[in-house]
Amino acid sequence: MPLPPIDTLNADRLHVRAVRADDLADLMAINGDAEVTRFLPYATWQSPADGQAWLERMNTLVATGSAHQLVIVRNADHRVVGTVLLFKFDAGSRRLELGYVMGRAHWRQGYTAEALRAVLSHAFGPMRIRRIEAEVNPANEASNRLLRTLGFTHEGFLRERWEAKGACYGVNVYGLLATEWPAATA
């Protein structure tokens, strides 16, 4: 069974929707920033060709029915300011993983939390997801703090989990259950 579809999710200052080819210019400004991609497992984009290759990978992943690549769009100017990836959907267990990126110009403004609250509410509501997991580099203090703020529980540390950009690193593992979500938003 494929991951249930997602239409546009609305929040106060932004909306979240599926990525499109015409988003690549805005995404280049985000993923072309080495500080933004510092903790991501892929290289900083150097050219529009990198963005096109990424979009093709995301479209292939989405076509499997196990993922949704979404963008965070600011309502004020309709600019893409970040992304949300729902992936590794396991229909039998009703679980998936969460990843996200926010452009540096929009850090510390609450956009990521606002977008993730909309996504999590939809995932735990209409999509009937039971469990959402996230892995975060311990050095990424802002992301670790954000997940705890959203109600995720730190469930452990996986040593040398990933090898990317010439280095091995461990990750903090977080989980959030549907039964915990209403309490986290109260």
Side-chain angles (χ1 to χ4, degrees):
M1 172 194 305
L3 189 57
I6 294 179
D7 292 322
T8 299
L9 304 176
N10 293 303
D12 289 339
R13 299 176 297 158
L14 52 85
H15 60 280
V16 180
R17 60 161 171 76
V19 67
R20 303 184 307 232
D22 61 350
D23 297 326
L24 288 177
D26 287 345
L27 290 172
M28 181 71 197
I30 296 166
N31 290 302
D33 182 338
E35 187 61 23
V36 171
T37 61
R38 177 177 167 206
F39 296 112
L40 298 177
Y42 56 83
T44 304
W45 295 2
Q46 301 299 313
S47 70
D50 292 336
Q52 188 59 46
W54 172 87
L55 182 61
E56 289 171 12
R57 285 192 309 276
M58 292 304 102
N59 287 341
T60 299
L61 183 62
V62 169
T64 69
S66 66
H68 285 309
Q69 179 61 68
L70 308 168
V71 291
I72 302 167
V73 181
R74 193 170 48 192
N75 292 336
D77 59 7
H78 305 288
R79 298 292 303 255
V80 173
V81 297
T83 63
V84 176
L85 177 63
L86 300 177
F87 64 114
K88 294 188 181 176
F89 172 59
D90 180 327
S93 294
R94 295 188 359 249
R95 74 159 236 23
L96 53 76
E97 292 188 31
L98 171 71
Y100 45 88
V101 176
M102 180 58 61
R104 186 173 9 171
H106 310 291
W107 289 356
R108 295 177 200 87
Q109 296 178 40
Y111 286 123
T112 310
E114 187 175 331
L116 291 181
R117 282 186 183 97
V119 170
L120 294 170
S121 291
H122 186 76
F124 290 134
M127 292 175 70
R128 302 192 62 239
I129 299 298
R130 184 188 56 79
R131 176 182 168 83
I132 297 177
E133 301 168 0
E135 295 179 2
V136 180
N137 187 315
N140 189 342
E141 295 173 9
S143 189
N144 283 275
R145 187 173 43 253
L146 173 62
L147 290 173
R148 289 189 304 272
T149 297
L150 291 171
F152 280 79
T153 298
H154 180 254
E155 297 179 337
F157 178 76
L158 300 177
R159 299 173 302 144
E160 292 190 18
R161 172 74 164 149
W162 296 106
E163 185 170 354
K165 301 179 182 174
C168 285
Y169 61 94
V171 292
N172 287 327
V173 177
Y174 291 90
L176 181 61
L177 305 177
T179 55
E180 298 167 333
W181 180 240
T185 59

